[in-house]
Amino acid sequence: MKQLTHYLVGGAVRDALLGLPVHEKDWVVVGHTAEEMLTLGFTPVGKDFPVFLHPKTKDEYALARTERKAGHGYHGFEIHAHPSVSLEEDLLRRDLTINAMARTPGGALVDPYGGLEDLKARILRHVSPAFAEDPLRVLRVARFAARFHWLGFRVAPETVALMRSLSTATELLSIAPERLWQETQKALTEPDPQVYFQVLEDCGALRILFPELAALRGVPQPKLYHPEIDTLEHQYLALKIAAQLNADTPTRFAVLVHDLGKGLTPESAWPQHINHEIKGLPLIKQLGKRLRVPRQYLELGLTMSQWHTHVHRALELRPNTIHKLFKGTDALRRPERFEQLLVACTADARGRTGYEERPYPQADYLRLALAAAQNIDIPALRERFEGPELGAAIGQARIHKLKEFKQAWPDKLP
Ligand code: CTP
């Protein structure tokens, strides 16, 4: 059996050159057939592409291939994997120049499309017109922009232009909802998730993929509370702060959708947005259904939309209303989700021009208020009441604790 001719490719080559940790290694195999791979003990994976797992390392080894588009959208591919396909041909069909470099087993860089130069210049540039064969790449570029923004990366103008030409409903809506969510969910985990949505907006993809968000562009908010005025700008700022706060991904999603209701305000009512908290709920459900957003994300998004104004007004709320907030958000049974809500609200409050560093005492206030409301003697109440009366007595006991707590504030600040 001849020796396997293989090259390290993709993210591993890119990340090493950026000085970043390499998480997984992908390899391209040149000059071999699938049968030879099986004889060498590799396990085939996936039904669409000729990809194999190494028997020991479990790294992915793909046969060099070219792809040709045979139809519209994401599904219309013809894969051509053959021992005659060269490394350069395989790299040519890849998305970005910084992703289209390879290393020989001896460690030499193979870089036929200027990847290293673009990496040094911090440019995300498509390799060739073959980019257009896969509309998912519009989202991938936006995601890489979100990931590498802190390093100074920008999308090349000619790539933005190509992404714009791909940003039609026919192309983008052909992407399976699961893939759309997968890219979006990954983008939300990146250090600058707001850049994902900004890049999608710049190339015209946002209005097709996230019309509920795109509708916020140009919608004004009161200047006194929102110096940035524009509601979509506020969304981006809040998302940026959520990432800086190291918020988990569902919390970032909740920040993303919490003001969708403002897109429904009639122009005559601008810049006020009465009841946007409730008006946004059907929009969040609609977006969630379209993208198959997991329940955990969706529930937090809905809770955030409905209750964020209450949280912001926490210090003025009467004990009864705080209790209502705890019941409405299920805070007493699900304190970990309430904590996510508080982080999302902190990001919302700071996601305003000039407010980025402001303290947000509401969060600690409600953390301590929740602890106070939990601190009641339920077994003692059980001895005296049962059924609906027990429920009412527990509620009263909690409200009493909240009254005491409110009177003692601000001595309780940690
Ligand atoms: N690729 C591509 N077009 C796609 C998907 C992948 O050109 N739609 C190529 C790119 O060359 C990419 C490689 O396949 O570098 C591996 O893809 P993937 O594992 O998704 O991305 P990585 O670049 O490895 O980045 P990471 O895994 O760190 O997200």
Side-chain angles (χ1 to χ4, degrees), residues 10-11 14-15 24 26 94-95 99 134 137 140 143-144 147:
R14 175 199 69 218
D15 289 346
E24 53 174 45
D26 293 320
R94 290 174 183 262
D95 51 5
N99 289 342
D134 178 3
R137 288 173 169 172
R140 278 178 60 90
R143 177 162 66 78
F144 280 113
R147 183 187 294 185

Side-chain angles (χ1 to χ4, degrees), residues 139 172-173 180 200 205-212 290-291:
L139 284 80
L172 294 181
L173 299 181
L180 193 54
L200 292 180
L206 195 72
R207 65 187 167 80
I208 296 167
L209 297 173
F210 300 97
E212 302 86 354
R290 200 175 60 243
L291 269 73

Side-chain angles (χ1 to χ4, degrees), residues 350-363:
R350 291 202 187 138
R352 299 180 287 166
T353 308
Y355 286 73
E356 294 85 346
E357 308 289 333
R358 294 260 183 113
Y360 187 69
Q362 290 91 328

Side-chain angles (χ1 to χ4, degrees), residues 48-65:
D48 299 334
F49 302 128
V51 179
F52 302 83
L53 292 187
H54 189 280
K56 288 217 181 78
T57 63
K58 304 292 174 209
D59 284 351
E60 280 193 7
Y61 284 65
L63 297 187
R65 65 179 190 258

Side-chain angles (χ1 to χ4, degrees), residues 220 265-274 279:
T265 312
E267 256 184 75
S268 55
W270 286 355
Q272 305 300 326
H273 297 281
I274 311 289
K279 283 200 229 160

